[in-house]
PDB file of all heavy atoms in Angstrom:
ATOM      1  N   ASP A 502      68.703  91.577 123.647  1.00  0.00           N
ATOM      2  CA  ASP A 502      69.329  91.900 122.359  1.00  0.00           C
ATOM      3  C   ASP A 502      70.077  93.233 122.466  1.00  0.00           C
ATOM      4  O   ASP A 502      69.475  94.297 122.593  1.00  0.00           O
ATOM      5  CB  ASP A 502      68.244  91.982 121.282  1.00  0.00           C
ATOM      6  CG  ASP A 502      68.821  92.156 119.881  1.00  0.00           C
ATOM      7  OD1 ASP A 502      70.051  92.321 119.767  1.00  0.00           O
ATOM      8  OD2 ASP A 502      68.032  92.111 118.920  1.00  0.00           O
ATOM      9  N   ASP A 503      71.396  93.130 122.403  1.00  0.00           N
ATOM     10  CA  ASP A 503      72.210  94.348 122.464  1.00  0.00           C
ATOM     11  C   ASP A 503      72.709  94.756 121.080  1.00  0.00           C
ATOM     12  O   ASP A 503      73.535  95.666 120.949  1.00  0.00           O
ATOM     13  CB  ASP A 503      73.391  94.153 123.411  1.00  0.00           C
ATOM     14  CG  ASP A 503      74.295  92.997 122.992  1.00  0.00           C
ATOM     15  OD1 ASP A 503      74.004  92.354 121.967  1.00  0.00           O
ATOM     16  OD2 ASP A 503      75.292  92.740 123.692  1.00  0.00           O
ATOM     17  N   GLY A 504      72.208  94.062 120.057  1.00  0.00           N
ATOM     18  CA  GLY A 504      72.576  94.406 118.689  1.00  0.00           C
ATOM     19  C   GLY A 504      73.940  93.892 118.261  1.00  0.00           C
ATOM     20  O   GLY A 504      74.378  94.146 117.133  1.00  0.00           O
ATOM     21  N   SER A 505      74.608  93.149 119.132  1.00  0.00           N
ATOM     22  CA  SER A 505      75.966  92.684 118.836  1.00  0.00           C
ATOM     23  C   SER A 505      75.956  91.467 117.923  1.00  0.00           C
ATOM     24  O   SER A 505      74.955  90.750 117.796  1.00  0.00           O
ATOM     25  CB  SER A 505      76.695  92.334 120.134  1.00  0.00           C
ATOM     26  OG  SER A 505      76.093  91.196 120.742  1.00  0.00           O
ATOM     27  N   GLU A 506      77.105  91.224 117.285  1.00  0.00           N
ATOM     28  CA  GLU A 506      77.257  90.034 116.461  1.00  0.00           C
ATOM     29  C   GLU A 506      77.188  88.774 117.321  1.00  0.00           C
ATOM     30  O   GLU A 506      76.718  87.733 116.867  1.00  0.00           O
ATOM     31  CB  GLU A 506      78.584  90.091 115.696  1.00  0.00           C
ATOM     32  CG  GLU A 506      78.619  91.142 114.601  1.00  0.00           C
ATOM     33  CD  GLU A 506      77.532  90.935 113.550  1.00  0.00           C
ATOM     34  OE1 GLU A 506      77.334  89.766 113.119  1.00  0.00           O
ATOM     35  OE2 GLU A 506      76.872  91.916 113.185  1.00  0.00           O
ATOM     36  N   LEU A 507      77.671  88.886 118.561  1.00  0.00           N
ATOM     37  CA  LEU A 507      77.615  87.745 119.470  1.00  0.00           C
ATOM     38  C   LEU A 507      76.173  87.343 119.740  1.00  0.00           C
ATOM     39  O   LEU A 507      75.836  86.144 119.724  1.00  0.00           O
ATOM     40  CB  LEU A 507      78.317  88.094 120.786  1.00  0.00           C
ATOM     41  CG  LEU A 507      78.323  86.993 121.852  1.00  0.00           C
ATOM     42  CD1 LEU A 507      79.089  85.778 121.367  1.00  0.00           C
ATOM     43  CD2 LEU A 507      78.921  87.522 123.170  1.00  0.00           C
ATOM     44  N   TYR A 508      75.300  88.329 119.955  1.00  0.00           N
ATOM     45  CA  TYR A 508      73.890  88.030 120.198  1.00  0.00           C
ATOM     46  C   TYR A 508      73.265  87.358 118.969  1.00  0.00           C
ATOM     47  O   TYR A 508      72.525  86.379 119.093  1.00  0.00           O
ATOM     48  CB  TYR A 508      73.124  89.305 120.545  1.00  0.00           C
ATOM     49  CG  TYR A 508      71.657  89.049 120.831  1.00  0.00           C
ATOM     50  CD1 TYR A 508      71.217  88.780 122.120  1.00  0.00           C
ATOM     51  CD2 TYR A 508      70.713  89.048 119.797  1.00  0.00           C
ATOM     52  CE1 TYR A 508      69.878  88.519 122.381  1.00  0.00           C
ATOM     53  CE2 TYR A 508      69.372  88.787 120.048  1.00  0.00           C
ATOM     54  CZ  TYR A 508      68.969  88.522 121.339  1.00  0.00           C
ATOM     55  OH  TYR A 508      67.645  88.247 121.589  1.00  0.00           O
ATOM     56  N   LYS A 509      73.584  87.879 117.800  1.00  0.00           N
ATOM     57  CA  LYS A 509      73.027  87.306 116.566  1.00  0.00           C
ATOM     58  C   LYS A 509      73.477  85.863 116.374  1.00  0.00           C
ATOM     59  O   LYS A 509      72.694  85.000 115.974  1.00  0.00           O
ATOM     60  CB  LYS A 509      73.446  88.159 115.358  1.00  0.00           C
ATOM     61  CG  LYS A 509      72.840  89.551 115.346  1.00  0.00           C
ATOM     62  CD  LYS A 509      73.391  90.390 114.194  1.00  0.00           C
ATOM     63  CE  LYS A 509      72.855  91.816 114.232  1.00  0.00           C
ATOM     64  NZ  LYS A 509      73.465  92.662 113.163  1.00  0.00           N
ATOM     65  N   LYS A 510      74.744  85.608 116.660  1.00  0.00           N
ATOM     66  CA  LYS A 510      75.270  84.254 116.545  1.00  0.00           C
ATOM     67  C   LYS A 510      74.582  83.315 117.539  1.00  0.00           C
ATOM     68  O   LYS A 510      74.198  82.184 117.200  1.00  0.00           O
ATOM     69  CB  LYS A 510      76.783  84.259 116.785  1.00  0.00           C
ATOM     70  CG  LYS A 510      77.440  82.901 116.668  1.00  0.00           C
ATOM     71  CD  LYS A 510      78.928  82.986 116.970  1.00  0.00           C
ATOM     72  CE  LYS A 510      79.568  81.590 116.930  1.00  0.00           C
ATOM     73  NZ  LYS A 510      80.998  81.627 117.300  1.00  0.00           N
ATOM     74  N   ALA A 511      74.417  83.805 118.766  1.00  0.00           N
ATOM     75  CA  ALA A 511      73.766  83.002 119.792  1.00  0.00           C
ATOM     76  C   ALA A 511      72.315  82.719 119.432  1.00  0.00           C
ATOM     77  O   ALA A 511      71.808  81.610 119.644  1.00  0.00           O
ATOM     78  CB  ALA A 511      73.853  83.716 121.141  1.00  0.00           C
ATOM     79  N   LYS A 512      71.627  83.707 118.880  1.00  0.00           N
ATOM     80  CA  LYS A 512      70.225  83.540 118.491  1.00  0.00           C
ATOM     81  C   LYS A 512      70.083  82.499 117.383  1.00  0.00           C
ATOM     82  O   LYS A 512      69.188  81.630 117.429  1.00  0.00           O
ATOM     83  CB  LYS A 512      69.670  84.881 118.000  1.00  0.00           C
ATOM     84  CG  LYS A 512      68.210  84.840 117.537  1.00  0.00           C
ATOM     85  CD  LYS A 512      67.275  84.540 118.688  1.00  0.00           C
ATOM     86  CE  LYS A 512      65.826  84.826 118.340  1.00  0.00           C
ATOM     87  NZ  LYS A 512      65.323  84.047 117.197  1.00  0.00           N
ATOM     88  N   ALA A 513      70.973  82.540 116.409  1.00  0.00           N
ATOM     89  CA  ALA A 513      70.921  81.565 115.320  1.00  0.00           C
ATOM     90  C   ALA A 513      71.164  80.150 115.845  1.00  0.00           C
ATOM     91  O   ALA A 513      70.487  79.198 115.440  1.00  0.00           O
ATOM     92  CB  ALA A 513      71.954  81.926 114.254  1.00  0.00           C
ATOM     93  N   GLU A 514      72.122  80.016 116.767  1.00  0.00           N
ATOM     94  CA  GLU A 514      72.403  78.691 117.324  1.00  0.00           C
ATOM     95  C   GLU A 514      71.246  78.210 118.184  1.00  0.00           C
ATOM     96  O   GLU A 514      70.892  77.027 118.158  1.00  0.00           O
ATOM     97  CB  GLU A 514      73.695  78.719 118.134  1.00  0.00           C
ATOM     98  CG  GLU A 514      74.075  77.363 118.664  1.00  0.00           C
ATOM     99  CD  GLU A 514      75.543  77.207 118.988  1.00  0.00           C
ATOM    100  OE1 GLU A 514      76.311  78.170 118.776  1.00  0.00           O
ATOM    101  OE2 GLU A 514      75.927  76.115 119.452  1.00  0.00           O
ATOM    102  N   TYR A 515      70.650  79.131 118.945  1.00  0.00           N
ATOM    103  CA  TYR A 515      69.510  78.750 119.773  1.00  0.00           C
ATOM    104  C   TYR A 515      68.361  78.221 118.920  1.00  0.00           C
ATOM    105  O   TYR A 515      67.777  77.172 119.228  1.00  0.00           O
ATOM    106  CB  TYR A 515      69.037  79.946 120.596  1.00  0.00           C
ATOM    107  CG  TYR A 515      67.753  79.675 121.340  1.00  0.00           C
ATOM    108  CD1 TYR A 515      67.765  79.004 122.555  1.00  0.00           C
ATOM    109  CD2 TYR A 515      66.527  80.087 120.817  1.00  0.00           C
ATOM    110  CE1 TYR A 515      66.593  78.729 123.229  1.00  0.00           C
ATOM    111  CE2 TYR A 515      65.347  79.824 121.481  1.00  0.00           C
ATOM    112  CZ  TYR A 515      65.379  79.142 122.689  1.00  0.00           C
ATOM    113  OH  TYR A 515      64.208  78.869 123.339  1.00  0.00           O
ATOM    114  N   ASP A 516      68.031  78.928 117.879  1.00  0.00           N
ATOM    115  CA  ASP A 516      66.923  78.512 117.014  1.00  0.00           C
ATOM    116  C   ASP A 516      67.164  77.110 116.458  1.00  0.00           C
ATOM    117  O   ASP A 516      66.249  76.276 116.409  1.00  0.00           O
ATOM    118  CB  ASP A 516      66.735  79.505 115.866  1.00  0.00           C
ATOM    119  CG  ASP A 516      66.212  80.856 116.343  1.00  0.00           C
ATOM    120  OD1 ASP A 516      65.685  80.920 117.472  1.00  0.00           O
ATOM    121  OD2 ASP A 516      66.357  81.845 115.596  1.00  0.00           O
ATOM    122  N   GLU A 517      68.408  76.854 116.068  1.00  0.00           N
ATOM    123  CA  GLU A 517      68.751  75.544 115.509  1.00  0.00           C
ATOM    124  C   GLU A 517      68.702  74.451 116.578  1.00  0.00           C
ATOM    125  O   GLU A 517      68.092  73.390 116.377  1.00  0.00           O
ATOM    126  CB  GLU A 517      70.151  75.598 114.890  1.00  0.00           C
ATOM    127  CG  GLU A 517      70.636  74.270 114.332  1.00  0.00           C
ATOM    128  CD  GLU A 517      72.061  74.334 113.824  1.00  0.00           C
ATOM    129  OE1 GLU A 517      72.626  75.445 113.743  1.00  0.00           O
ATOM    130  OE2 GLU A 517      72.629  73.260 113.541  1.00  0.00           O
ATOM    131  N   LYS A 518      69.330  74.705 117.720  1.00  0.00           N
ATOM    132  CA  LYS A 518      69.437  73.688 118.763  1.00  0.00           C
ATOM    133  C   LYS A 518      68.086  73.389 119.407  1.00  0.00           C
ATOM    134  O   LYS A 518      67.801  72.242 119.770  1.00  0.00           O
ATOM    135  CB  LYS A 518      70.431  74.139 119.843  1.00  0.00           C
ATOM    136  CG  LYS A 518      71.860  74.316 119.350  1.00  0.00           C
ATOM    137  CD  LYS A 518      72.462  73.011 118.882  1.00  0.00           C
ATOM    138  CE  LYS A 518      73.922  73.178 118.505  1.00  0.00           C
ATOM    139  NZ  LYS A 518      74.512  71.946 117.939  1.00  0.00           N
ATOM    140  N   TYR A 519      67.258  74.415 119.555  1.00  0.00           N
ATOM    141  CA  TYR A 519      65.953  74.192 120.177  1.00  0.00           C
ATOM    142  C   TYR A 519      65.098  73.283 119.292  1.00  0.00           C
ATOM    143  O   TYR A 519      64.472  72.334 119.776  1.00  0.00           O
ATOM    144  CB  TYR A 519      65.236  75.519 120.418  1.00  0.00           C
ATOM    145  CG  TYR A 519      63.993  75.373 121.271  1.00  0.00           C
ATOM    146  CD1 TYR A 519      64.076  75.457 122.657  1.00  0.00           C
ATOM    147  CD2 TYR A 519      62.749  75.137 120.690  1.00  0.00           C
ATOM    148  CE1 TYR A 519      62.942  75.303 123.451  1.00  0.00           C
ATOM    149  CE2 TYR A 519      61.619  74.982 121.468  1.00  0.00           C
ATOM    150  CZ  TYR A 519      61.714  75.073 122.847  1.00  0.00           C
ATOM    151  OH  TYR A 519      60.590  74.914 123.630  1.00  0.00           O
ATOM    152  N   GLN A 520      65.089  73.567 118.005  1.00  0.00           N
ATOM    153  CA  GLN A 520      64.313  72.749 117.080  1.00  0.00           C
ATOM    154  C   GLN A 520      64.844  71.318 117.038  1.00  0.00           C
ATOM    155  O   GLN A 520      64.074  70.352 117.000  1.00  0.00           O
ATOM    156  CB  GLN A 520      64.348  73.364 115.676  1.00  0.00           C
ATOM    157  CG  GLN A 520      63.366  72.736 114.695  1.00  0.00           C
ATOM    158  CD  GLN A 520      61.921  72.880 115.149  1.00  0.00           C
ATOM    159  OE1 GLN A 520      61.535  73.882 115.761  1.00  0.00           O
ATOM    160  NE2 GLN A 520      61.111  71.872 114.883  1.00  0.00           N
ATOM    161  N   GLU A 521      66.152  71.175 117.079  1.00  0.00           N
ATOM    162  CA  GLU A 521      66.764  69.836 117.096  1.00  0.00           C
ATOM    163  C   GLU A 521      66.325  69.061 118.332  1.00  0.00           C
ATOM    164  O   GLU A 521      66.013  67.867 118.253  1.00  0.00           O
ATOM    165  CB  GLU A 521      68.287  69.952 117.083  1.00  0.00           C
ATOM    166  CG  GLU A 521      68.891  70.244 115.733  1.00  0.00           C
ATOM    167  CD  GLU A 521      70.410  70.300 115.811  1.00  0.00           C
ATOM    168  OE1 GLU A 521      70.976  70.024 116.891  1.00  0.00           O
ATOM    169  OE2 GLU A 521      71.041  70.625 114.783  1.00  0.00           O
ATOM    170  N   ALA A 522      66.317  69.733 119.489  1.00  0.00           N
ATOM    171  CA  ALA A 522      65.951  69.064 120.729  1.00  0.00           C
ATOM    172  C   ALA A 522      64.499  68.601 120.699  1.00  0.00           C
ATOM    173  O   ALA A 522      64.180  67.489 121.129  1.00  0.00           O
ATOM    174  CB  ALA A 522      66.189  69.991 121.921  1.00  0.00           C
ATOM    175  N   VAL A 523      63.617  69.448 120.188  1.00  0.00           N
ATOM    176  CA  VAL A 523      62.195  69.077 120.076  1.00  0.00           C
ATOM    177  C   VAL A 523      62.048  67.862 119.157  1.00  0.00           C
ATOM    178  O   VAL A 523      61.353  66.888 119.495  1.00  0.00           O
ATOM    179  CB  VAL A 523      61.370  70.260 119.550  1.00  0.00           C
ATOM    180  CG1 VAL A 523      59.950  69.819 119.207  1.00  0.00           C
ATOM    181  CG2 VAL A 523      61.338  71.399 120.568  1.00  0.00           C
ATOM    182  N   GLN A 524      62.690  67.918 118.012  1.00  0.00           N
ATOM    183  CA  GLN A 524      62.590  66.827 117.050  1.00  0.00           C
ATOM    184  C   GLN A 524      63.190  65.532 117.595  1.00  0.00           C
ATOM    185  O   GLN A 524      62.608  64.450 117.427  1.00  0.00           O
ATOM    186  CB  GLN A 524      63.264  67.225 115.737  1.00  0.00           C
ATOM    187  CG  GLN A 524      62.543  68.333 114.981  1.00  0.00           C
ATOM    188  CD  GLN A 524      63.317  68.819 113.766  1.00  0.00           C
ATOM    189  OE1 GLN A 524      64.490  68.481 113.576  1.00  0.00           O
ATOM    190  NE2 GLN A 524      62.685  69.634 112.942  1.00  0.00           N
ATOM    191  N   ASN A 525      64.337  65.634 118.243  1.00  0.00           N
ATOM    192  CA  ASN A 525      64.991  64.431 118.767  1.00  0.00           C
ATOM    193  C   ASN A 525      64.203  63.800 119.904  1.00  0.00           C
ATOM    194  O   ASN A 525      64.105  62.573 119.995  1.00  0.00           O
ATOM    195  CB  ASN A 525      66.405  64.766 119.236  1.00  0.00           C
ATOM    196  CG  ASN A 525      67.369  64.956 118.085  1.00  0.00           C
ATOM    197  OD1 ASN A 525      67.219  64.345 117.032  1.00  0.00           O
ATOM    198  ND2 ASN A 525      68.366  65.806 118.275  1.00  0.00           N
ATOM    199  N   LYS A 526      63.645  64.620 120.773  1.00  0.00           N
ATOM    200  CA  LYS A 526      62.828  64.086 121.860  1.00  0.00           C
ATOM    201  C   LYS A 526      61.635  63.320 121.298  1.00  0.00           C
ATOM    202  O   LYS A 526      61.328  62.198 121.727  1.00  0.00           O
ATOM    203  CB  LYS A 526      62.355  65.217 122.766  1.00  0.00           C
ATOM    204  CG  LYS A 526      61.462  64.771 123.926  1.00  0.00           C
ATOM    205  CD  LYS A 526      61.141  65.929 124.833  1.00  0.00           C
ATOM    206  CE  LYS A 526      60.231  65.508 125.974  1.00  0.00           C
ATOM    207  NZ  LYS A 526      58.849  65.232 125.536  1.00  0.00           N
ATOM    208  N   THR A 527      60.968  63.910 120.316  1.00  0.00           N
ATOM    209  CA  THR A 527      59.819  63.253 119.688  1.00  0.00           C
ATOM    210  C   THR A 527      60.238  61.957 119.001  1.00  0.00           C
ATOM    211  O   THR A 527      59.561  60.925 119.116  1.00  0.00           O
ATOM    212  CB  THR A 527      59.167  64.192 118.657  1.00  0.00           C
ATOM    213  OG1 THR A 527      58.738  65.379 119.323  1.00  0.00           O
ATOM    214  CG2 THR A 527      57.977  63.522 117.995  1.00  0.00           C
ATOM    215  N   ARG A 528      61.363  61.980 118.313  1.00  0.00           N
ATOM    216  CA  ARG A 528      61.834  60.796 117.582  1.00  0.00           C
ATOM    217  C   ARG A 528      62.173  59.666 118.548  1.00  0.00           C
ATOM    218  O   ARG A 528      61.793  58.513 118.325  1.00  0.00           O
ATOM    219  CB  ARG A 528      63.059  61.168 116.743  1.00  0.00           C
ATOM    220  CG  ARG A 528      63.612  60.022 115.900  1.00  0.00           C
ATOM    221  CD  ARG A 528      64.575  60.547 114.848  1.00  0.00           C
ATOM    222  NE  ARG A 528      65.717  61.215 115.455  1.00  0.00           N
ATOM    223  CZ  ARG A 528      66.868  60.600 115.750  1.00  0.00           C
ATOM    224  NH1 ARG A 528      67.012  59.318 115.492  1.00  0.00           N
ATOM    225  NH2 ARG A 528      67.868  61.265 116.281  1.00  0.00           N
ATOM    226  N   TYR A 529      62.856  59.994 119.629  1.00  0.00           N
ATOM    227  CA  TYR A 529      63.204  58.959 120.602  1.00  0.00           C
ATOM    228  C   TYR A 529      61.957  58.374 121.257  1.00  0.00           C
ATOM    229  O   TYR A 529      61.897  57.167 121.527  1.00  0.00           O
ATOM    230  CB  TYR A 529      64.139  59.539 121.672  1.00  0.00           C
ATOM    231  CG  TYR A 529      65.604  59.454 121.321  1.00  0.00           C
ATOM    232  CD1 TYR A 529      66.116  60.068 120.186  1.00  0.00           C
ATOM    233  CD2 TYR A 529      66.502  58.759 122.130  1.00  0.00           C
ATOM    234  CE1 TYR A 529      67.458  60.000 119.866  1.00  0.00           C
ATOM    235  CE2 TYR A 529      67.852  58.685 121.824  1.00  0.00           C
ATOM    236  CZ  TYR A 529      68.322  59.304 120.680  1.00  0.00           C
ATOM    237  OH  TYR A 529      69.654  59.224 120.362  1.00  0.00           O
ATOM    238  N   GLU A 530      60.990  59.220 121.554  1.00  0.00           N
ATOM    239  CA  GLU A 530      59.741  58.730 122.149  1.00  0.00           C
ATOM    240  C   GLU A 530      59.024  57.787 121.195  1.00  0.00           C
ATOM    241  O   GLU A 530      58.491  56.745 121.616  1.00  0.00           O
ATOM    242  CB  GLU A 530      58.848  59.913 122.517  1.00  0.00           C
ATOM    243  CG  GLU A 530      59.364  60.713 123.708  1.00  0.00           C
ATOM    244  CD  GLU A 530      58.607  62.002 123.921  1.00  0.00           C
ATOM    245  OE1 GLU A 530      57.961  62.497 122.968  1.00  0.00           O
ATOM    246  OE2 GLU A 530      58.673  62.556 125.036  1.00  0.00           O
ATOM    247  N   GLN A 531      59.017  58.126 119.922  1.00  0.00           N
ATOM    248  CA  GLN A 531      58.373  57.268 118.935  1.00  0.00           C
ATOM    249  C   GLN A 531      59.098  55.935 118.792  1.00  0.00           C
ATOM    250  O   GLN A 531      58.463  54.876 118.686  1.00  0.00           O
ATOM    251  CB  GLN A 531      58.303  57.987 117.587  1.00  0.00           C
ATOM    252  CG  GLN A 531      57.355  59.182 117.568  1.00  0.00           C
ATOM    253  CD  GLN A 531      57.464  60.002 116.295  1.00  0.00           C
ATOM    254  OE1 GLN A 531      58.445  59.910 115.556  1.00  0.00           O
ATOM    255  NE2 GLN A 531      56.459  60.828 116.038  1.00  0.00           N
ATOM    256  N   ILE A 532      60.428  55.982 118.780  1.00  0.00           N
ATOM    257  CA  ILE A 532      61.212  54.752 118.661  1.00  0.00           C
ATOM    258  C   ILE A 532      60.987  53.868 119.884  1.00  0.00           C
ATOM    259  O   ILE A 532      60.806  52.650 119.764  1.00  0.00           O
ATOM    260  CB  ILE A 532      62.706  55.060 118.492  1.00  0.00           C
ATOM    261  CG1 ILE A 532      62.958  55.764 117.158  1.00  0.00           C
ATOM    262  CG2 ILE A 532      63.532  53.778 118.557  1.00  0.00           C
ATOM    263  CD1 ILE A 532      64.376  56.285 116.994  1.00  0.00           C
ATOM    264  N   LEU A 533      60.965  54.466 121.076  1.00  0.00           N
ATOM    265  CA  LEU A 533      60.744  53.685 122.295  1.00  0.00           C
ATOM    266  C   LEU A 533      59.373  53.017 122.266  1.00  0.00           C
ATOM    267  O   LEU A 533      59.241  51.839 122.641  1.00  0.00           O
ATOM    268  CB  LEU A 533      60.871  54.578 123.526  1.00  0.00           C
ATOM    269  CG  LEU A 533      60.621  53.885 124.875  1.00  0.00           C
ATOM    270  CD1 LEU A 533      61.599  52.738 125.088  1.00  0.00           C
ATOM    271  CD2 LEU A 533      60.723  54.891 126.022  1.00  0.00           C
ATOM    272  N   GLN A 534      58.367  53.747 121.814  1.00  0.00           N
ATOM    273  CA  GLN A 534      57.037  53.163 121.717  1.00  0.00           C
ATOM    274  C   GLN A 534      57.025  51.997 120.735  1.00  0.00           C
ATOM    275  O   GLN A 534      56.448  50.941 121.012  1.00  0.00           O
ATOM    276  CB  GLN A 534      56.020  54.225 121.279  1.00  0.00           C
ATOM    277  CG  GLN A 534      54.588  53.704 121.200  1.00  0.00           C
ATOM    278  CD  GLN A 534      53.596  54.783 120.804  1.00  0.00           C
ATOM    279  OE1 GLN A 534      53.940  55.957 120.715  1.00  0.00           O
ATOM    280  NE2 GLN A 534      52.356  54.396 120.558  1.00  0.00           N
ATOM    281  N   SER A 535      57.690  52.169 119.595  1.00  0.00           N
ATOM    282  CA  SER A 535      57.739  51.104 118.595  1.00  0.00           C
ATOM    283  C   SER A 535      58.487  49.890 119.122  1.00  0.00           C
ATOM    284  O   SER A 535      58.066  48.742 118.901  1.00  0.00           O
ATOM    285  CB  SER A 535      58.411  51.609 117.312  1.00  0.00           C
ATOM    286  OG  SER A 535      57.666  52.659 116.737  1.00  0.00           O
ATOM    287  N   VAL A 536      59.599  50.124 119.806  1.00  0.00           N
ATOM    288  CA  VAL A 536      60.377  49.028 120.384  1.00  0.00           C
ATOM    289  C   VAL A 536      59.564  48.278 121.430  1.00  0.00           C
ATOM    290  O   VAL A 536      59.564  47.040 121.477  1.00  0.00           O
ATOM    291  CB  VAL A 536      61.681  49.565 120.997  1.00  0.00           C
ATOM    292  CG1 VAL A 536      62.340  48.530 121.905  1.00  0.00           C
ATOM    293  CG2 VAL A 536      62.654  49.974 119.904  1.00  0.00           C
TER     294      VAL A 536
END
Side-chain angles (χ1 to χ4, degrees):
D502 187 354
D503 59 0
S505 67
E506 290 301 316
L507 179 63
Y508 181 91
K509 293 175 184 176
K510 181 182 177 183
K512 179 66 166 60
E514 183 157 359
Y515 173 82
D516 291 342
E517 177 184 351
K518 297 296 185 185
Y519 190 89
Q520 191 61 34
E521 281 182 5
V523 170
Q524 292 173 349
N525 285 330
K526 179 175 179 288
T527 300
R528 182 165 61 92
Y529 272 60
E530 289 171 339
Q531 292 171 342
I532 294 172
L533 178 59
Q534 182 178 353
S535 297
V536 166

